[in-house]
Amino acid sequence: MSAARPIGVREYARRRRELMRMAGADAAILLAAAPPRLRNGDTTWPYRQDSDFLYLSGFDEPAAVLALLPGRRAGQSVLFCREREPAQERWDGAWRGPEGAVRELGLDDAFPFADIDDILPGMLEGRARLYCHFGREAAFDAQLLAWLRRLRATQGVAQAPQEMLALGHLLHELRLFKSPAELGLLRHAASIGMDAHRVAWAALAPGVPEFAIEADFVHALRRAGALPSYPPIVAGGRNACVLHYARNDAPLRDGDLLLLDAGAEWQGYASDITRTLPVNGRFNPAQRALYQLVLDAQRAALAVIRPGQGWEAFHQAARDVLIEGLCALGLLKGTPAQALASGSYRRYFPHKTGHWLGLDVHDAGDYRIHGEPRLLEPGMVLTVEPGVYVAPDERAAPPRYRGTGIRIEDDVVVTATGAEVLTAALPKDPDVLEDALASAHPPHSPTPTLRV
């Protein structure tokens, strides 16, 4: 599998220029890099750069601030970052340093982070507005307020910014529309994620613990050079009724289903994929009926995704199919219209049918504009993931359905004429799924086992 091309310095520069154009010539924009996160003791979590910072710079180190200063003659894109320190790099690995950041990332200028208090406040003089993510990181908020207080207390200099505005609305509108290079990375993340799902399916068998499935999935990602885009949900049987199940420690049982919700992150871009599989390789009649209903709902949702459709249209299409089917199967009483009006269907379908996808699994971007669902446009990327969850103690449901959770999720690009399903190659038709599982466990092959 050939890797997608990384985002180039010209694209990062284009993003910064467009954001500055949106902010205006008299504005300043400041972003802080994500700090390291303490796990416990003196151990940190694996470092992940703030997605907005990554989107504008490609810079993947902590202890940095990016300043965008429209019209500044000495350079509009300025980075403050750590200087090279060979002794510390012996522990942490190589740092870019200010010179490397300019050379490798195409920024206009860079300064040592240690000098930021002396240099940056002066860069804000005369700017009418300051865009930032105030409230996201307390330490940066305190530093920013100190700079502004110092500017306002200084006599004989130009005025400090009088407005402080949230950056998210401008920046996240940019992030919502994916470039060709971003779509290439998303396709690659989808491809790696699908391959890892297939690897995990080969371990599926009664008695295997959920964490063994997770281990095979993550192993496949790491062999491909990717990371999990979120903690995998590996939910057997009734555990699938817990929407964000995270324990992944129960044994899989003969006759149950496995809900595997897991994706890959490639160069910061995420895939988000869910398939629901019979542990023993065959759906029983009740499972197949519920599974086919969820699949029909997803197909109805996919059929309405195209430019000009409102964001909620595909959710409504899936919801309507689910409500009609749940009534037909006896899980909902009364007519579909009554179930919709009362909201009783939400006990089985409590979430929306999708979300934006990109650098974040739940990616940036508004879902409503002036109170109305926004219209889909080419270049948007979203998930489509209807589900049905019948709690083990749901007395209103026939016993044969209780303790069953099913979700099917694919990643979708809105195109000029409709939709491209990035994860279409991963089987989801129930007959095809059963054949795929049978191929993963040929006759007379040893059943996967794991001593616990």
Side-chain angles (χ1 to χ4, degrees), residues 298-376:
Q298 197 208 33
R299 287 170 172 165
L302 290 169
V304 302
I305 294 177
R306 59 182 178 272
Q309 281 282 18
W311 166 259
E312 293 185 356
F314 72 98
H315 169 70
Q316 292 166 351
R319 179 201 63 196
D320 292 348
V321 170
L322 287 177
I323 290 174
E324 184 173 352
L326 291 169
C327 288
L329 293 174
L331 285 106
L332 291 175
K333 307 303 181 185
T335 67
Q338 290 169 332
L340 177 61
S342 68
S344 61
Y345 70 91
R346 293 192 182 95
R347 72 166 64 114
Y348 302 120
F349 180 38
H351 58 75
K352 292 294 186 179
T353 307
H355 52 78
W356 303 128
L357 183 69
L359 279 168
D360 295 320
V361 176
H362 286 250
D363 205 34
D366 292 330
Y367 293 97
R368 303 181 74 84
I369 303 293
H370 304 304
E372 296 296 324
R374 80 175 304 150
L375 302 182
L376 297 179

Coordinates of all heavy atoms in Angstrom, one line a residue, residues 298-376:
Q298 N -28.6 2.8 7.0 CA -27.4 3.5 6.5 C -27.4 3.7 5.0 O -27.0 4.8 4.5 CB -26.1 2.7 6.8 CG -24.9 3.5 6.7 CD -23.6 2.7 6.4 OE1 -23.7 1.7 5.7 NE2 -22.5 3.1 6.9
R299 N -28.0 2.8 4.3 CA -28.1 2.9 2.8 C -29.0 4.1 2.5 O -28.8 4.9 1.5 CB -28.6 1.6 2.2 CG -27.5 0.6 2.1 CD -28.0 -0.8 1.7 NE -26.9 -1.8 1.5 CZ -27.1 -3.1 1.4 NH1 -28.3 -3.6 1.5 NH2 -26.1 -3.9 1.2
A300 N -30.1 4.2 3.2 CA -31.0 5.4 3.0 C -30.3 6.7 3.3 O -30.5 7.7 2.5 CB -32.2 5.2 3.9
A301 N -29.5 6.7 4.3 CA -28.7 8.0 4.6 C -27.7 8.3 3.5 O -27.7 9.4 3.1 CB -28.0 7.8 6.0
L302 N -27.0 7.3 3.1 CA -26.0 7.5 2.0 C -26.6 8.0 0.8 O -26.0 8.8 0.0 CB -25.2 6.2 1.8 CG -24.2 5.8 2.9 CD1 -23.7 4.4 2.6 CD2 -23.1 6.8 3.0
A303 N -27.8 7.6 0.5 CA -28.5 7.9 -0.8 C -28.9 9.4 -0.9 O -29.1 9.9 -2.0 CB -29.8 7.1 -0.9
V304 N -29.0 10.1 0.3 CA -29.4 11.5 0.2 C -28.2 12.5 0.4 O -28.4 13.7 0.4 CB -30.5 11.8 1.3 CG1 -31.7 10.9 1.1 CG2 -29.9 11.7 2.7
I305 N -27.0 11.9 0.5 CA -25.8 12.8 0.7 C -25.4 13.4 -0.6 O -25.0 12.6 -1.5 CB -24.7 12.1 1.4 CG1 -25.1 11.7 2.9 CG2 -23.4 13.0 1.4 CD1 -24.1 11.0 3.6
R306 N -25.5 14.7 -0.8 CA -25.1 15.4 -2.0 C -25.1 16.8 -1.7 O -25.7 17.3 -0.8 CB -26.0 15.0 -3.2 CG -27.5 15.4 -3.0 CD -28.3 14.9 -4.2 NE -29.7 15.2 -4.0 CZ -30.6 14.4 -3.4 NH1 -30.2 13.2 -2.9 NH2 -31.8 14.8 -3.2
P307 N -24.4 17.6 -2.5 CA -24.4 19.1 -2.3 C -25.8 19.6 -2.3 O -26.7 19.2 -3.1 CB -23.6 19.6 -3.5 CG -22.7 18.5 -3.9 CD -23.5 17.2 -3.7
G308 N -26.1 20.6 -1.4 CA -27.4 21.2 -1.3 C -28.3 20.6 -0.3 O -29.3 21.3 0.1
Q309 N -28.0 19.4 0.1 CA -28.8 18.8 1.2 C -28.5 19.4 2.5 O -27.3 19.6 2.8 CB -28.6 17.3 1.2 CG -29.4 16.5 0.1 CD -30.9 16.4 0.5 OE1 -31.4 17.1 1.3 NE2 -31.5 15.5 -0.2
G310 N -29.4 19.6 3.4 CA -29.2 20.0 4.7 C -28.5 18.9 5.5 O -28.6 17.7 5.3
W311 N -27.7 19.4 6.5 CA -26.9 18.5 7.4 C -27.8 17.4 8.0 O -27.4 16.2 8.1 CB -26.2 19.2 8.5 CG -25.7 18.3 9.6 CD1 -26.2 18.1 10.8 CD2 -24.5 17.5 9.5 NE1 -25.5 17.1 11.5 CE2 -24.5 16.8 10.7 CE3 -23.6 17.2 8.5 CZ2 -23.4 15.8 10.9 CZ3 -22.6 16.3 8.7 CH2 -22.5 15.6 10.0
E312 N -29.0 17.7 8.4 CA -29.9 16.7 9.1 C -30.6 15.8 8.2 O -31.3 14.8 8.6 CB -30.9 17.5 10.0 CG -30.2 18.2 11.1 CD -31.2 18.8 12.1 OE1 -32.4 18.8 11.8 OE2 -30.7 19.4 13.1
A313 N -30.5 16.0 6.8 CA -31.3 15.2 5.9 C -30.9 13.7 6.0 O -31.8 12.8 6.0 CB -31.2 15.7 4.5
F314 N -29.6 13.4 6.1 CA -29.2 12.0 6.1 C -29.6 11.4 7.4 O -29.9 10.2 7.5 CB -27.8 11.8 5.7 CG -26.8 12.3 6.7 CD1 -26.2 11.3 7.5 CD2 -26.4 13.6 6.8 CE1 -25.2 11.7 8.4 CE2 -25.4 14.0 7.7 CZ -24.8 13.1 8.5
H315 N -29.5 12.1 8.5 CA -30.0 11.6 9.8 C -31.4 11.3 9.8 O -31.9 10.2 10.2 CB -29.7 12.6 10.9 CG -30.3 12.2 12.2 ND1 -29.9 11.2 13.0 CD2 -31.3 12.8 12.9 CE1 -30.7 11.1 14.0 NE2 -31.5 12.1 14.0
Q316 N -32.2 12.2 9.2 CA -33.7 11.9 9.1 C -34.0 10.7 8.3 O -34.9 10.0 8.6 CB -34.4 13.2 8.6 CG -34.3 14.4 9.6 CD -34.7 15.7 8.9 OE1 -34.8 15.8 7.7 NE2 -34.8 16.7 9.8
A317 N -33.3 10.5 7.2 CA -33.5 9.4 6.3 C -33.2 8.1 7.1 O -34.0 7.1 7.0 CB -32.6 9.5 5.1
A318 N -32.1 8.0 7.8 CA -31.8 6.8 8.6 C -32.8 6.6 9.7 O -33.3 5.5 9.9 CB -30.4 6.9 9.2
R319 N -33.1 7.7 10.4 CA -34.1 7.6 11.5 C -35.4 7.1 11.1 O -36.0 6.2 11.7 CB -34.3 9.0 12.1 CG -35.2 9.1 13.3 CD -35.7 10.5 13.4 NE -36.4 11.0 12.2 CZ -36.7 12.3 12.0 NH1 -36.3 13.2 12.8 NH2 -37.4 12.6 10.9
D320 N -35.9 7.6 9.9 CA -37.3 7.1 9.5 C -37.3 5.6 9.1 O -38.2 4.9 9.4 CB -37.7 7.9 8.2 CG -37.9 9.4 8.6 OD1 -38.0 9.7 9.8 OD2 -38.0 10.2 7.6
V321 N -36.2 5.1 8.5 CA -36.1 3.7 8.2 C -36.1 2.9 9.5 O -36.7 1.9 9.7 CB -34.9 3.4 7.3 CG1 -34.7 1.9 7.2 CG2 -35.1 4.0 5.9
L322 N -35.3 3.4 10.5 CA -35.2 2.7 11.7 C -36.5 2.6 12.5 O -36.9 1.6 13.0 CB -34.1 3.3 12.6 CG -32.6 3.1 12.2 CD1 -31.7 3.9 13.1 CD2 -32.3 1.6 12.2
I323 N -37.2 3.7 12.5 CA -38.5 3.8 13.2 C -39.5 2.8 12.6 O -40.1 2.0 13.3 CB -39.0 5.2 13.2 CG1 -38.2 6.1 14.1 CG2 -40.5 5.2 13.7 CD1 -38.6 7.6 14.1
E324 N -39.6 2.8 11.3 CA -40.5 1.9 10.6 C -40.1 0.5 10.9 O -41.0 -0.4 11.2 CB -40.5 2.2 9.1 CG -41.5 1.3 8.4 CD -41.6 1.7 6.9 OE1 -41.0 2.8 6.5 OE2 -42.3 1.0 6.2
G325 N -38.8 0.1 10.9 CA -38.4 -1.2 11.1 C -38.6 -1.6 12.6 O -39.0 -2.8 12.8
L326 N -38.3 -0.8 13.5 CA -38.5 -1.1 14.9 C -40.0 -1.3 15.2 O -40.3 -2.2 16.1 CB -37.9 0.0 15.8 CG -36.4 0.2 15.8 CD1 -36.0 1.5 16.4 CD2 -35.7 -1.0 16.4
C327 N -40.9 -0.6 14.6 CA -42.3 -0.9 14.8 C -42.7 -2.2 14.2 O -43.4 -3.0 14.8 CB -43.1 0.2 14.1 SG -43.1 1.8 15.0
A328 N -42.1 -2.5 13.0 CA -42.5 -3.8 12.3 C -42.0 -5.0 13.1 O -42.6 -6.1 13.2 CB -41.9 -3.8 10.9
L329 N -40.8 -4.8 13.8 CA -40.2 -5.9 14.6 C -40.8 -6.0 16.0 O -40.5 -6.9 16.8 CB -38.7 -5.7 14.7 CG -38.0 -5.9 13.4 CD1 -36.5 -5.5 13.6 CD2 -38.1 -7.3 12.8
G330 N -41.7 -5.1 16.4 CA -42.3 -5.2 17.7 C -41.6 -4.5 18.8 O -41.9 -4.6 20.0
L331 N -40.5 -3.8 18.5 CA -39.7 -3.1 19.5 C -40.4 -1.8 19.9 O -40.1 -1.3 21.0 CB -38.3 -2.9 19.1 CG -37.4 -4.1 19.1 CD1 -37.2 -4.7 17.7 CD2 -36.1 -3.9 19.8
L332 N -41.1 -1.2 19.0 CA -41.9 0.1 19.3 C -43.4 -0.2 19.1 O -43.8 -0.9 18.2 CB -41.4 1.2 18.3 CG -40.0 1.8 18.5 CD1 -39.7 2.8 17.4 CD2 -39.9 2.4 19.9
K333 N -44.1 0.4 20.0 CA -45.6 0.2 19.9 C -46.2 1.4 19.1 O -45.6 2.5 19.1 CB -46.2 0.2 21.3 CG -45.6 -0.8 22.3 CD -45.6 -2.2 21.7 CE -45.0 -3.3 22.7 NZ -45.0 -4.6 22.1
G334 N -47.3 1.1 18.5 CA -48.0 2.2 17.8 C -47.5 2.3 16.4 O -46.7 1.4 15.9
T335 N -47.8 3.4 15.7 CA -47.4 3.7 14.4 C -46.0 4.4 14.3 O -45.6 5.0 15.3 CB -48.4 4.5 13.6 OG1 -48.4 5.9 14.2 CG2 -49.8 3.9 13.8
P336 N -45.3 4.3 13.2 CA -44.1 5.1 13.1 C -44.3 6.6 13.3 O -43.4 7.2 14.0 CB -43.7 4.9 11.6 CG -44.2 3.5 11.3 CD -45.5 3.5 12.0
A337 N -45.4 7.2 12.9 CA -45.6 8.6 13.2 C -45.7 8.8 14.7 O -45.2 9.9 15.2 CB -46.9 9.0 12.5
Q338 N -46.4 7.9 15.4 CA -46.5 8.1 16.8 C -45.1 8.0 17.5 O -44.8 8.7 18.5 CB -47.5 7.1 17.4 CG -48.9 7.3 17.0 CD -49.8 6.2 17.4 OE1 -49.4 5.0 17.4 NE2 -51.1 6.5 17.6
A339 N -44.3 7.0 17.1 CA -43.0 6.8 17.6 C -42.1 8.0 17.4 O -41.3 8.5 18.2 CB -42.3 5.6 17.1
L340 N -42.2 8.7 16.2 CA -41.5 9.8 15.9 C -41.9 11.0 16.7 O -41.1 11.7 17.3 CB -41.6 10.2 14.4 CG -40.9 11.5 13.9 CD1 -39.4 11.4 14.1 CD2 -41.2 11.7 12.4
A341 N -43.2 11.2 16.9 CA -43.7 12.3 17.6 C -43.4 12.3 19.1 O -43.0 13.3 19.7 CB -45.2 12.4 17.4
S342 N -43.4 11.1 19.6 CA -43.2 10.9 21.1 C -41.7 10.8 21.4 O -41.3 11.0 22.5 CB -43.8 9.6 21.6 OG -43.2 8.4 21.0
G343 N -40.9 10.5 20.4 CA -39.5 10.3 20.6 C -39.1 9.0 21.3 O -38.0 8.8 21.7
S344 N -40.1 8.0 21.3 CA -39.8 6.7 21.9 C -38.7 5.9 21.3 O -38.1 5.1 21.9 CB -41.1 5.9 22.0 OG -41.6 5.7 20.7
Y345 N -38.5 6.2 20.0 CA -37.4 5.5 19.3 C -36.0 5.8 19.8 O -35.1 5.0 19.6 CB -37.4 5.9 17.8 CG -37.0 7.3 17.5 CD1 -35.6 7.6 17.3 CD2 -37.9 8.4 17.6 CE1 -35.2 8.9 17.0 CE2 -37.4 9.7 17.3 CZ -36.1 9.9 17.1 OH -35.6 11.2 16.9
R346 N -35.9 6.8 20.6 CA -34.5 7.2 21.1 C -34.0 6.2 22.1 O -32.8 6.2 22.4 CB -34.6 8.6 21.7 CG -34.8 9.7 20.7 CD -34.5 11.1 21.2 NE -34.8 12.1 20.3 CZ -36.0 12.8 20.2 NH1 -36.9 12.5 21.1 NH2 -36.1 13.7 19.3
R347 N -34.9 5.4 22.7 CA -34.3 4.4 23.6 C -33.5 3.3 22.9 O -32.7 2.7 23.5 CB -35.5 3.7 24.4 CG -36.3 2.8 23.6 CD -37.2 1.9 24.5 NE -38.2 2.7 25.2 CZ -39.5 2.6 25.1 NH1 -40.0 1.8 24.2 NH2 -40.3 3.4 25.8
Y348 N -33.7 3.2 21.6 CA -33.0 2.3 20.7 C -32.0 3.0 19.8 O -31.0 2.4 19.4 CB -33.9 1.5 19.9 CG -34.9 0.7 20.7 CD1 -36.3 0.9 20.5 CD2 -34.5 -0.3 21.6 CE1 -37.2 0.2 21.2 CE2 -35.5 -1.0 22.4 CZ -36.8 -0.7 22.1 OH -37.8 -1.4 22.9
F349 N -32.2 4.3 19.5 CA -31.3 5.0 18.6 C -31.1 6.4 19.2 O -31.7 7.4 18.8 CB -32.0 5.1 17.2 CG -31.2 5.9 16.2 CD1 -29.8 5.8 16.1 CD2 -31.8 6.7 15.3 CE1 -29.1 6.5 15.2 CE2 -31.1 7.4 14.3 CZ -29.7 7.3 14.3
P350 N -30.2 6.5 20.2 CA -30.0 7.7 21.0 C -29.1 8.8 20.4 O -28.9 9.8 21.0 CB -29.5 7.2 22.3 CG -28.7 6.0 22.0 CD -29.4 5.4 20.8
H351 N -28.4 8.5 19.3 CA -27.4 9.4 18.8 C -27.7 9.9 17.4 O -28.6 9.3 16.7 CB -26.0 8.8 18.9 CG -25.9 7.5 18.1 ND1 -25.7 7.5 16.8 CD2 -25.8 6.2 18.5 CE1 -25.6 6.2 16.4 NE2 -25.6 5.5 17.4
K352 N -27.0 10.9 16.9 CA -27.1 11.3 15.6 C -26.4 10.3 14.6 O -25.7 9.4 15.0 CB -26.5 12.7 15.4 CG -27.2 13.8 16.1 CD -28.6 14.1 15.5 CE -29.3 15.3 16.2 NZ -30.6 15.5 15.5
T353 N -26.6 10.5 13.3 CA -26.2 9.6 12.3 C -24.8 9.9 11.8 O -24.2 9.1 11.1 CB -27.2 9.5 11.2 OG1 -28.5 9.3 11.7 CG2 -26.9 8.4 10.2
G354 N -24.1 11.0 12.3 CA -22.8 11.2 11.8 C -22.2 12.5 12.4 O -22.8 13.2 13.2
H355 N -21.0 12.8 12.0 CA -20.2 13.9 12.4 C -19.1 14.2 11.4 O -18.8 13.4 10.6 CB -19.6 13.7 13.8 CG -18.8 12.4 13.9 ND1 -17.5 12.3 13.4 CD2 -19.1 11.2 14.5 CE1 -17.0 11.1 13.7 NE2 -18.0 10.4 14.3
W356 N -18.6 15.4 11.5 CA -17.5 15.8 10.6 C -16.2 14.9 10.9 O -16.1 14.5 12.1 CB -17.1 17.3 10.7 CG -18.2 18.3 10.5 CD1 -18.5 19.3 11.3 CD2 -19.0 18.4 9.3 NE1 -19.5 20.0 10.7 CE2 -19.9 19.5 9.5 CE3 -19.1 17.6 8.1 CZ2 -20.8 19.9 8.6 CZ3 -20.1 18.0 7.2 CH2 -20.9 19.1 7.4
L357 N -15.4 14.7 9.9 CA -14.2 13.9 10.1 C -13.0 14.6 9.4 O -13.1 15.2 8.4 CB -14.4 12.5 9.4 CG -13.3 11.5 9.6 CD1 -13.1 11.0 11.0 CD2 -13.6 10.3 8.6
G358 N -11.8 14.6 10.1 CA -10.6 15.2 9.5 C -9.4 15.0 10.4 O -9.1 13.9 10.8
L359 N -8.8 16.1 10.8 CA -7.7 16.0 11.8 C -8.2 15.5 13.1 O -7.4 14.9 13.9 CB -7.1 17.4 12.0 CG -6.1 17.8 10.9 CD1 -5.7 19.3 11.0 CD2 -4.8 17.0 11.0
D360 N -9.5 15.8 13.5 CA -10.1 15.2 14.7 C -11.1 14.2 14.2 O -11.7 14.3 13.2 CB -10.8 16.3 15.5 CG -9.8 17.3 16.1 OD1 -8.7 16.8 16.5 OD2 -10.0 18.5 16.1
V361 N -11.3 13.2 15.0 CA -12.4 12.2 14.7 C -13.7 12.9 14.7 O -14.5 12.7 13.7 CB -12.4 11.1 15.7 CG1 -13.5 10.1 15.5 CG2 -11.0 10.3 15.7
H362 N -14.0 13.7 15.7 CA -15.2 14.6 15.6 C -14.6 16.0 15.2 O -14.2 16.8 16.1 CB -15.9 14.7 17.0 CG -16.7 13.4 17.3 ND1 -18.1 13.4 17.3 CD2 -16.3 12.2 17.5 CE1 -18.5 12.2 17.5 NE2 -17.4 11.4 17.7
D363 N -14.6 16.2 13.9 CA -13.8 17.3 13.4 C -14.4 18.6 13.6 O -15.6 18.7 13.8 CB -13.4 17.0 11.9 CG -12.2 17.8 11.5 OD1 -11.2 17.9 12.3 OD2 -12.1 18.2 10.3
A364 N -13.6 19.7 13.3 CA -14.1 21.1 13.4 C -15.1 21.4 12.3 O -15.1 20.9 11.2 CB -12.9 22.0 13.4
G365 N -16.0 22.3 12.7 CA -17.0 22.8 11.7 C -18.3 23.0 12.3 O -18.8 22.1 13.1
D366 N -19.1 24.0 11.9 CA -20.4 24.2 12.4 C -21.4 23.3 11.7 O -21.3 23.0 10.5 CB -20.9 25.7 12.2 CG -20.1 26.7 13.0 OD1 -19.7 26.3 14.1 OD2 -19.9 27.8 12.6
Y367 N -22.4 22.8 12.5 CA -23.4 22.0 11.9 C -24.7 22.8 11.5 O -25.5 22.4 10.8 CB -23.8 20.9 12.9 CG -22.8 19.9 13.1 CD1 -21.9 20.0 14.2 CD2 -22.6 18.8 12.3 CE1 -20.9 19.0 14.5 CE2 -21.6 17.9 12.5 CZ -20.8 18.0 13.6 OH -19.8 17.1 13.8
R368 N -24.8 24.0 12.1 CA -25.9 24.9 11.8 C -25.4 26.3 11.5 O -24.4 26.7 12.1 CB -26.9 24.9 13.0 CG -27.4 23.6 13.4 CD -28.4 23.6 14.6 NE -29.7 24.2 14.2 CZ -30.6 23.4 13.6 NH1 -30.5 22.1 13.4 NH2 -31.8 24.0 13.3
I369 N -26.0 27.0 10.6 CA -25.7 28.4 10.2 C -26.9 29.2 10.5 O -28.0 28.9 9.9 CB -25.3 28.5 8.7 CG1 -24.1 27.5 8.5 CG2 -24.9 29.9 8.4 CD1 -22.8 27.9 9.2
H370 N -26.8 30.2 11.4 CA -27.9 31.1 11.7 C -29.1 30.2 12.2 O -30.3 30.5 11.8 CB -28.3 32.0 10.5 CG -27.2 32.8 10.0 ND1 -26.5 33.7 10.8 CD2 -26.6 32.9 8.8 CE1 -25.6 34.3 10.1 NE2 -25.6 33.9 8.9
G371 N -28.9 29.2 12.9 CA -29.9 28.4 13.5 C -30.5 27.3 12.5 O -31.3 26.5 13.0
E372 N -30.1 27.3 11.3 CA -30.6 26.3 10.3 C -29.5 25.3 10.0 O -28.3 25.6 10.0 CB -31.0 27.0 9.1 CG -32.2 28.0 9.2 CD -33.5 27.2 9.7 OE1 -33.7 26.1 9.2 OE2 -34.2 27.8 10.5
P373 N -29.9 24.0 9.7 CA -28.9 23.1 9.3 C -28.1 23.5 8.1 O -28.7 24.0 7.1 CB -29.7 21.8 9.0 CG -31.0 22.0 9.7 CD -31.2 23.5 9.8
R374 N -26.8 23.5 8.2 CA -26.0 23.9 7.1 C -26.1 23.0 5.9 O -26.4 21.8 6.1 CB -24.5 24.1 7.4 CG -23.7 22.9 7.5 CD -22.2 23.2 7.8 NE -21.7 24.2 6.8 CZ -20.7 25.1 7.1 NH1 -20.2 25.2 8.2 NH2 -20.3 25.9 6.1
L375 N -25.9 23.5 4.7 CA -26.0 22.7 3.5 C -24.7 22.0 3.2 O -23.6 22.6 3.4 CB -26.4 23.5 2.3 CG -27.7 24.3 2.4 CD1 -28.0 25.1 1.2 CD2 -28.9 23.4 2.8
L376 N -24.8 20.8 2.8 CA -23.6 20.0 2.4 C -22.9 20.6 1.1 O -23.6 21.0 0.2 CB -23.9 18.5 2.2 CG -24.4 17.8 3.4 CD1 -24.7 16.3 3.0 CD2 -23.4 17.8 4.6

